[in-house]
Amino acid sequence: MNRRDFLLASLAAMAAGCAARAEAAPAKRVLVAYFSLSGNTRAVAGFIHKALGGELLEIRPAKPYPAAYQASVDRSREELHAGERVALVPLEMPDFDVLFVGSPNWWGTIAPPVETFLRTVPLKGKLVVPFFTHGGGGLQRCEATARAIGEAAGARLLPAKTFPGGSATEAEVAAWARGLDLGTDPADIADVPHGAFPLGQPNVANAKWFSGRSWVAPLTGMAALNCPIANVTFEPGCRNNWHRHSGGQILVCVSGEGRYQERASYRRPGRVLLPGDIVEIAPGVEHWHGAAPGKWFQHLAISTNPGTNKTDWLEAVADSDYRTIGNKRKA
Ligand code: MN
């Protein structure tokens, strides 16, 4: 078995919190580019930028639109009918991997300056996330136009998102942006106290068994040792479902504050986990682990008996169970 096969096999058999993704990738660079006249698209772009970080770029036509909204829209209609490319104020393009591109819906499609932008910026190999603001028209041809231009240029596109003009809230936009699979960790990862160990990749493979976001970084891979160890990071409040490992598991707590609990029938109280704590989980014991409320948490997950170890996922953890641990008034 070569190293790659070993890694994949190990990870497949591995304990909770370990996705079957063995290759680390560098963090993706996010660019949020937008054109806005009324300010609606600018507001959404700002919320995305605030949620994910990266660069923010305003697309501006070389010939400014009239201040009056209707006059601008009328001009854009003429531009659309003329089919000519609208010139832009020259842009200083930062390097990027993921492009969020925002436009108002004008005449059922993307605004001419945004079309010029998409047709002139190199998009080969990039991930493009279009977003639109509208005054009641919804997507119409906005998404199809952006997709056609982007795919012709060699980009991959995520589904477009629309926001009714002026009504998008920061929380709504941030939840959408952070929930996207950009193939990488969002930029607010800079805030994660991950100390000495790498953060790794979003835990996509097991996401449906986690109550929030988590990341996994495989740390070992030598086949002769047969001892898979991964660093698992939980965002505040995130825990996994009840589950059991047929070959058991060891958790080595490395940063933040976590929680651990076994079924009440085992008569062992739930635990508050701090750096340096060790949790030995016997084969077949039903349990869950994760971050404390409001706290990031990281543990190393060591897959014991990895040759045959298998994880069975059960139901989500009740809030009443989760909240009781560490609450001295109820202990
Ligand atoms: Mn476990």
Side-chain angles (χ1 to χ4, degrees):
M1 191 181 273
N2 65 27
R3 178 184 155 88
R4 180 184 163 79
D5 288 345
F6 169 77
L7 271 173
L8 292 176
S10 305
L11 287 164
M14 203 157 175
C18 301
R21 295 174 65 163
E23 290 156 7
K28 297 284 197 290
R29 298 156 300 180
V30 173
L31 170 63
V32 183
Y34 69 94
F35 164 72
S36 187
L37 201 64
S38 69
N40 291 338
T41 315
R42 177 181 295 112
V44 173
F47 295 151
I48 297 169
H49 178 243
K50 197 168 166 191
L52 300 185
E55 301 282 341
L56 184 65
L57 185 72
E58 180 172 5
I59 301 166
R60 289 182 293 152
K63 182 184 164 197
Y65 285 93
Y69 189 81
Q70 194 55 48
S72 296
V73 172
D74 289 345
R75 187 181 117 190
S76 76
R77 182 171 58 176
E78 290 164 17
E79 289 166 345
L80 284 166
H81 283 182
E84 288 170 11
R85 199 172 284 182
V86 171
L88 303 182
V89 172
L91 297 161
E92 273 193 43
M93 285 295 297
D95 290 334
F96 68 94
D97 304 298
V98 180
L99 171 67
F100 285 80
V101 59
S103 173
N105 174 338
W106 276 5
W107 301 104
T109 188
I110 59 180
V114 180
E115 178 162 350
T116 299
F117 176 80
L118 283 173
R119 289 190 187 281
T120 50
V121 169
L123 294 176
K124 189 173 172 58
K126 311 295 188 187
L127 181 65
V128 175
V129 189
F131 63 96
F132 302 98
T133 53
H134 66 91
L139 270 177
Q140 296 180 289
R141 284 172 290 116
C142 291
E143 177 169 31
T145 305
R147 180 170 297 279
I149 297 170
E151 289 181 349
R156 184 167 73 86
L157 276 89
L158 292 188
K161 176 78 175 170
T162 55
F163 298 95
S167 71
T169 64
E170 179 172 352
E172 176 194 358
V173 174
W176 163 72
R178 288 188 175 132
L180 295 170
D181 181 6
L182 303 179
T184 184
D185 42 279
D188 66 350
I189 282 320
D191 300 334
V192 180
H194 62 80
F197 297 102
L199 187 68
Q201 295 285 307
N203 190 1
V204 175
N206 288 323
K208 63 182 164 185
W209 295 298
F210 282 63
S211 71
R213 292 181 305 165
S214 64
W215 293 260
V216 59
L219 302 178
T220 56
M222 186 182 284
L225 298 179
N226 193 24
C227 185
I229 302 178
N231 183 33
V232 183
T233 302
F234 300 80
E235 73 173 341
C238 171
R239 69 271 188 179
N240 50 32
N241 281 15
W242 288 99
H243 63 280
R244 56 182 175 252
H245 311 288
S246 64
Q249 184 180 44
I250 298 173
L251 307 178
V252 178
C253 305
V254 294
S255 77
E257 182 181 326
R259 297 287 186 264
Y260 172 79
Q261 189 176 34
E262 297 179 354
R263 289 287 188 196
S265 56
Y266 303 136
R267 299 183 186 285
R268 292 169 68 173
R271 289 175 61 180
V272 172
L273 301 179
L274 295 169
D277 285 344
I278 305 288
V279 184
E280 291 181 285
I281 305 163
V285 166
E286 294 179 7
H287 68 282
W288 60 266
H289 30 114
K295 303 278 179 65
W296 288 89
F297 179 58
Q298 289 185 315
H299 64 53
L300 306 187
I302 304 175
S303 184
T304 44
N305 304 293
T308 57
N309 205 341
K310 186 172 148 295
T311 299
D312 292 317
W313 291 102
L314 307 166
E315 80 279 13
V317 176
D319 237 28
S320 52
D321 282 338
Y322 177 69
R323 299 274 165 195
T324 304
I325 302 173
N327 182 342
K328 290 194 172 53
R329 284 165 295 179
K330 291 188 179 177

